């Protein structure tokens, strides 16, 4: 590109007027010199005076005309160019008012008409696209609904092990090991070796054509551990093929957490082994003693007595061991039955709804505070409702109370009523031997009690109240308010997927990768002040991922940070973060490793990135966390596209691109992050239109603007 074409329009116009002024002055000087030759040097002082005045007048008049031309023509033209480029490539533009372009004649109205026509055409195209994809959206929603309700985790990855799809169950299972997200490596949350091995076997099976006759086809059992080694997963990997079924494009994994199941299997094997060991010796002793007593041995009475005592002792010990083994086996059988934590109020409401469908109308009051317990809620509801109905039929009463209390290692479900008649043990046992409900098959109340390793008993309490008590196990997980605060609740969000990632080739060097193929983490920090070197600290950090040109609003990082110092009131007025809000937040040395994991190998993006990166770099020594990611700055990119004189604040860029920032989100780390992400995507469109398509070119453009700013700072 010639040098002149690389200059801005306003600079080229200035050079044009400067050439006119200098050329005119030069002609005046030449004419004066020729006149001096004809009239002699006596007139030199007069010629110099009037010639100087003439040159000054030419320069002044030319400068004045240039200034008016720059303000009323060149600058509006540049504004039109910026607005048209934003409209064409970023889908937003403000246009010029009539006053700004009043000296441009029909150019400004023509641009307005073109812009309106383009907007109208885009709106019409959007409407047509919306109609065309309506059916596809319906299918997508059905897919999301199916994936969300699956009891197993589902992942789809490309051959580079980048995640293309995951469902909510996968998020629940794998969130304990790390952050799951589109475009991120599968091996950030699970161990790599089993998947490398399975993928190698499946790929070889497919390339050799053996999958057509193999009993598992393109599937393979996979057992692996989570990245932290705390959980064991079992699932199935299936190879995915392209439309022509000529090559593999990725793989799908369905899996579940089998940690507890494996532990129970180990315990069951240990129980069987211990049973054989513990029963072998007593059985051998009993057999040997019995042989001595029944054989042809001449035993005196004292020896016979000792042997008989030995038989009694060994038989008693054997009975105790068998009872202990039976209890253990019974407990394992109960644990194998599908049970879960349930809130007592939910359990009681189910009993009430179940009873309301019966012809026998009973009122039941819930008393006491609701608590958590562990049981098979289906059969317990049936059992409690069944017994409640039996008591009502026997006593003729209609009013009852249900209460759940926790004492020691048990939770008691108590059925209360006022009366004189107390059901006998035999009567209760007869009820428990009856089938509960035909929908449950032939399951009796006794079966339900056996599964829960418990029993009913009835007793009279003071004030003439009778209660029927059912002991159950307490909740396995902690459901206190304190535990809820400590437990990280997974966000309720739609299933995410992006199959365009399947078509990506190996990105190789990031510098030469197209911007649209890169993964970005846009982030922002809120701090105690503006002087990181002077002791100011981060108090909030947020980030959001951009994958395949799409903001993944469900995959965000948002964390308060305890700064170890007070927050100045003047700073609080800006971001509204108080000392109380960060008092219980983790310190920066606990937050930065999590944020680094969230950013992983993505390109970092920030508005005025030097400020945020300075805070991060100052923590390298104390935290051991160093960010080596490439960094892009939306301020520098916007300056390259729109010039140094344009307003480059986040508010100004958002207004230019038609991006709405909610007032309560402005100057919050997450709110500014989301706005910056929207601005960045618009800038990527404009960068591509200006010929900047790779990360290397974007960084070079930033460096040029940064160099100009440093040069300007000297003056």
């Amino acid at each position: 590109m010639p040098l002149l074409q690389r200059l801005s329009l306003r600079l080229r116009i200035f050079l044009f007027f400067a050439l006119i002024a200098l050329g005119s002055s030069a002609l005046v000087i030449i004419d004066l010199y020729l006149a001096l030759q004809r009239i002699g040097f006596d007139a030199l002082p007069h010629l110099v005076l009037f010639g100087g005045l003439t040159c000054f007048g030419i320069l002044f008049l030319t400068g004045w005309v240039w200034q008016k031309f720059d303000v009323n023509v060149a600058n509006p033209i540049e504004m039109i160019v910026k607005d048209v480029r934003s409209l064409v490539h970023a889908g937003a533009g403000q246009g010029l008012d009539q006053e700004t372009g009043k000296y441009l004649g029909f150019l400004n109205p023509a641009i307005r008409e073109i812009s309106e026509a383009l907007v109208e055409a885009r709106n019409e195209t959007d409407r047509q696209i919306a109609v065309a994809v309506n059916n596809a959206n319906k299918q997508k929603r059905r897919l999301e609904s199916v994936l969300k309700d699956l009891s197993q985790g589902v992942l789809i990855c490309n051959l580079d092990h980048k995640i293309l799809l995951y469902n909510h169950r996968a998020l629940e299972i794998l969130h304990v090991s790390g952050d799951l997200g589109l475009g991120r490596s599968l091996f950030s949350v699970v161990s790599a070796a089993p998947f490398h091995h399975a993928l190698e076997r499946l790929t070889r099976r497919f390339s050799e054509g053996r999958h057509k006759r193999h009993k598992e086809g393109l599937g393979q059992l996979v057992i692996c551990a989570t990245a932290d080694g705390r959980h064991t997963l079992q699932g199935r990997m299936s190879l995915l093929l392209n439309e022509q079924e000529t090559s593999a494009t990725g793989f799908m994994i369905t899996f579940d957490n089998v940690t507890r199941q494996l532990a129970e299997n180990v315990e069951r094997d240990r129980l069987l082994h211990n049973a054989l060991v513990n029963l072998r010796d007593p059985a051998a002793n009993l057999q040997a003693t019995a042989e001595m007593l029944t054989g042809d041995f001449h035993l005196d009475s004292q020896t016979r007595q000792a042997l008989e005592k030995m038989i009694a002792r060994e038989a008693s010990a054997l009975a105790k061991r068998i009872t202990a083994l039976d209890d253990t086996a019974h407990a394992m059988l109960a644990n194998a039955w599908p049970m879960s934590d349930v809130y007592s109020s939910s359990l009681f409401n189910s009993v009430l709804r179940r009873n309301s469908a019966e012809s026998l109308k009973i009122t039941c009051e819930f008393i006491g505070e609701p608590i958590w317990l562990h049981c098979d809620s289906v059969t317990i509801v049936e059992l409690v409702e069944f017994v409640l109905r039996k008591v009502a039929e026997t006593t003729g009463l209609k009013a009852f109370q249900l209460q759940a209390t926790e004492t020691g290692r048990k939770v008691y479900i108590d059925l209360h009523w006022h009366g004189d008649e107390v059901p006998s043990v035999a009567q209760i046992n007869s009820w428990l031997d009856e089938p509960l409900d035909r929908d449950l098959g032939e399951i009796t109340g006794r079966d339900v009690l056996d599964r829960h390793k418990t029993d009913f008993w009835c007793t009279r309490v003071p004030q003439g109240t009778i209660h029927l008590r059912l002991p159950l196990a307490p909740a396995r997980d902690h459901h206190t308010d304190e535990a809820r605060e400590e437990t990280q609740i997974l966000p309720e969000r739609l299933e995410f997927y992006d199959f365009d990632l399947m078509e990506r080739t190996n990105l190789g060097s990031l510098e030469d990768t197209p911007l649209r193929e890169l993964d970005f983490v846009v982030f922002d920090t809120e701090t105690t002040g503006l002087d990181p070197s002077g002791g100011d600290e981060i108090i909030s950090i947020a980030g959001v991922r951009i994958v395949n040109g799409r903001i993944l609003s469900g995959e965000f990082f948002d964390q308060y940070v305890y700064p170890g110092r007070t927050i100045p009131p003047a700073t609080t007025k800006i971001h509204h973060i108080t000392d109380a809000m960060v008092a219980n937040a983790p310190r920066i040395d606990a937050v930065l490793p999590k944020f680094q994991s969230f950013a992983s190998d993505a390109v970092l993006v920030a508005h005025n990135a030097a400020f945020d990166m300075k805070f991060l770099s100052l923590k390298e020594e104390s935290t051991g966390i160093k960010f080596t990611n490439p960094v892009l700055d939306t301020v520098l990119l916007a300056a390259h596209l729109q010039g140094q004189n344009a307003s480059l604040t986040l508010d100004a860029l958002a207004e230019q691109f038609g991006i709405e920032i909610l007032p309560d989100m402005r100057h919050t780390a997450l709110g500014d992050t989301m706005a910056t992400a929207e601005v960045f995507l618009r800038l990527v469109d404009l960068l591509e239109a200006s010929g900047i398509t790779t990360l290397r070119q974007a960084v070079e453009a930033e460096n040029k603007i940064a160099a100009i700013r440093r040069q300007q700072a000297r003056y």
Side-chain angles (χ1 to χ4, degrees), residues 283-313:
N285 292 337
L286 286 173
Q287 182 180 7
T289 305
E291 288 176 353
M292 294 179 65
L293 289 173
T294 59
D296 296 331
F297 300 97
H298 299 288
L299 302 175
D300 55 41
S301 60
Q302 187 176 0
T303 303
R304 180 175 292 274
Q305 235 176 12
L307 290 175
E308 289 174 350
K309 288 181 180 180
M310 182 183 295
I311 288 178
R313 186 170 58 252

Side-chain angles (χ1 to χ4, degrees), residues 81-325:
V81 170
K82 182 184 73 173
D83 193 69
V84 169
R85 286 169 64 89
S86 298
L87 179 65
V88 172
H89 299 291
Q94 298 176 345
L96 296 175
D97 55 37
Q98 194 64 35
E99 185 65 24
T100 302
K102 62 183 178 180
Y103 295 107
L104 298 180
F106 293 106
L107 179 61
N108 195 31
I111 291 296
R112 286 178 172 276
E113 292 175 5
I114 294 173
S115 301
E116 292 172 358
L118 178 59
V119 170
E120 184 177 351
R122 277 184 173 166
N123 291 337
E124 180 61 27
T125 302
D126 290 341
R127 284 193 292 268
Q128 294 177 359
I129 291 175
V131 172
V133 302
N134 185 44
N135 291 334
N137 286 336
K138 290 181 180 178
Q139 297 296 328
K140 185 183 85 168
R141 287 191 292 271
R142 290 174 184 170
L143 171 64
E144 291 169 346
S145 178
V146 170
L147 287 174
K148 188 171 183 178
D149 291 336
L150 287 177
S151 60
Q152 286 187 313
V154 178
L155 292 175
I156 293 182
C157 303
N158 61 16
L159 294 179
D160 291 328
H161 309 100
K162 300 293 185 181
I163 298 172
L164 315 181
L165 174 148
Y166 60 90
N167 69 339
H168 197 271
R169 178 58 179 156
L171 190 67
E172 290 176 343
I173 295 174
L174 296 177
H175 193 77
V176 297
S177 180
D179 289 322
L180 195 65
L182 290 183
R184 306 191 72 177
S185 174
L186 171 67
F187 304 141
S188 65
V189 289
V190 297
S191 55
F195 292 96
H196 283 308
H197 176 70
L199 185 59
E200 181 183 359
R201 291 187 61 185
L202 290 175
T203 304
R204 188 184 307 114
R205 187 188 302 170
F206 170 71
S207 63
E208 296 173 358
R210 292 186 290 111
H211 64 287
K212 297 179 180 179
R213 57 183 183 275
H214 197 281
K215 65 178 181 179
E216 291 189 290
L218 290 175
Q220 172 72 39
L221 176 69
V222 176
I223 298 177
C224 67
T226 54
D228 57 8
R230 295 167 50 199
H231 300 271
T232 302
L233 310 178
Q234 177 176 312
R236 179 179 176 83
M237 175 191 283
S238 300
L239 205 62
L240 301 178
L241 307 179
N242 60 7
E243 293 182 4
Q244 297 76 25
E245 296 188 357
T246 56
S247 63
T249 57
F251 56 89
M252 179 176 72
I253 312 162
T254 57
F255 60 93
D256 209 344
N257 190 341
V258 295
T259 308
R260 179 176 294 178
Q261 179 182 340
L262 290 177
E264 290 174 350
N265 290 341
V266 171
E267 183 63 26
R268 190 157 43 247
D269 292 342
R270 185 181 295 114
L271 174 66
L272 179 60
H273 174 75
N274 291 339
L276 294 175
V277 172
N278 292 333
L279 296 179
R280 184 183 295 117
D281 292 342
N285 292 337
L286 286 173
Q287 182 180 7
T289 305
E291 288 176 353
M292 294 179 65
L293 289 173
T294 59
D296 296 331
F297 300 97
H298 299 288
L299 302 175
D300 55 41
S301 60
Q302 187 176 0
T303 303
R304 180 175 292 274
Q305 235 176 12
L307 290 175
E308 289 174 350
K309 288 181 180 180
M310 182 183 295
I311 288 178
R313 186 170 58 252
E314 291 293 339
S316 176
L318 184 61
K320 289 181 180 179
R321 291 175 183 175
I322 291 176
T323 300
L325 290 172

Side-chain angles (χ1 to χ4, degrees), residues 11-33:
L11 181 57
R12 279 184 278 174
I13 291 176
F14 171 76
L15 293 177
F16 175 75
F17 276 93
L19 180 62
I20 292 177
L22 293 176
S24 300
S25 299
L27 289 175
V28 169
I29 293 173
I30 292 173
D31 288 342
L32 291 176
Y33 177 75

Side-chain angles (χ1 to χ4, degrees), residues 510-564:
L510 285 180
E511 287 81 2
D512 298 320
T513 302
L515 290 172
R516 291 196 178 276
E517 294 186 12
L518 290 170
D519 296 340
F520 300 94
V521 167
V522 184
F523 78 104
D524 183 62
T525 61
E526 297 297 336
T527 62
T528 59
L530 303 178
D531 187 6
S533 300
D536 281 317
E537 298 286 347
I538 295 174
I539 55 177
S540 176
I541 182 170
V544 66
R545 290 173 54 79
I546 296 179
V547 177
N548 210 28
R550 186 158 60 104
I551 298 173
L552 304 182
S553 56
E555 295 182 14
F556 62 85
F557 185 95
D558 189 17
Q559 178 66 62
Y560 282 133
V561 182
Y562 178 66

Side-chain angles (χ1 to χ4, degrees), residues 379-570:
T379 55
I380 289 296
V381 166
E382 292 293 336
L383 176 61
V384 173
E385 191 275 333
F386 177 80
V387 172
L388 175 62
R389 185 155 35 90
K390 285 294 185 181
V391 173
E393 292 173 351
T394 302
T395 62
L397 298 174
K398 301 291 185 180
F400 296 88
Q401 292 178 325
L402 277 172
Q403 181 179 16
T405 56
E406 186 171 10
T407 305
R409 300 175 61 184
K410 288 290 183 181
V411 173
Y412 296 104
I413 303 296
D414 293 321
L415 176 63
H416 300 273
W417 71 90
H418 293 277
D420 298 326
E421 186 175 348
V422 180
S424 64
V425 174
Q427 193 173 27
I428 294 176
N429 287 335
S430 67
W431 295 344
L432 297 177
D433 290 335
E434 295 181 29
L436 294 179
D437 190 290
R438 65 180 60 184
D439 292 337
L440 298 177
E442 295 299 319
I443 293 179
T444 66
R446 180 62 60 191
D447 293 331
V448 176
L449 295 179
D450 289 343
R451 286 174 183 172
H452 291 79
K453 201 180 179 184
T454 187
D455 205 349
F456 262 124
W457 70 77
C458 190
T459 182
R460 184 186 296 276
V461 294
Q463 290 83 38
T465 302
I466 302 170
H467 74 216
L468 194 62
R469 170 159 285 190
L470 174 63
L472 292 171
R476 290 192 174 183
D477 296 326
H478 297 291
H479 295 276
T480 61
D481 292 337
E482 292 79 4
R484 284 195 195 96
E485 292 177 359
E486 296 175 358
T487 302
Q488 185 174 8
I489 300 175
L490 298 180
E492 280 292 336
R493 52 185 180 179
L494 294 176
E495 317 309 320
F496 289 109
Y497 53 91
D498 194 336
F499 292 114
D500 290 337
L501 298 175
M502 189 81 78
E503 307 301 325
R504 284 191 182 179
T505 56
N506 188 0
L507 295 182
S509 173
L510 285 180
E511 287 81 2
D512 298 320
T513 302
L515 290 172
R516 291 196 178 276
E517 294 186 12
L518 290 170
D519 296 340
F520 300 94
V521 167
V522 184
F523 78 104
D524 183 62
T525 61
E526 297 297 336
T527 62
T528 59
L530 303 178
D531 187 6
S533 300
D536 281 317
E537 298 286 347
I538 295 174
I539 55 177
S540 176
I541 182 170
V544 66
R545 290 173 54 79
I546 296 179
V547 177
N548 210 28
R550 186 158 60 104
I551 298 173
L552 304 182
S553 56
E555 295 182 14
F556 62 85
F557 185 95
D558 189 17
Q559 178 66 62
Y560 282 133
V561 182
Y562 178 66
R565 53 162 292 180
T566 58
I567 303 174

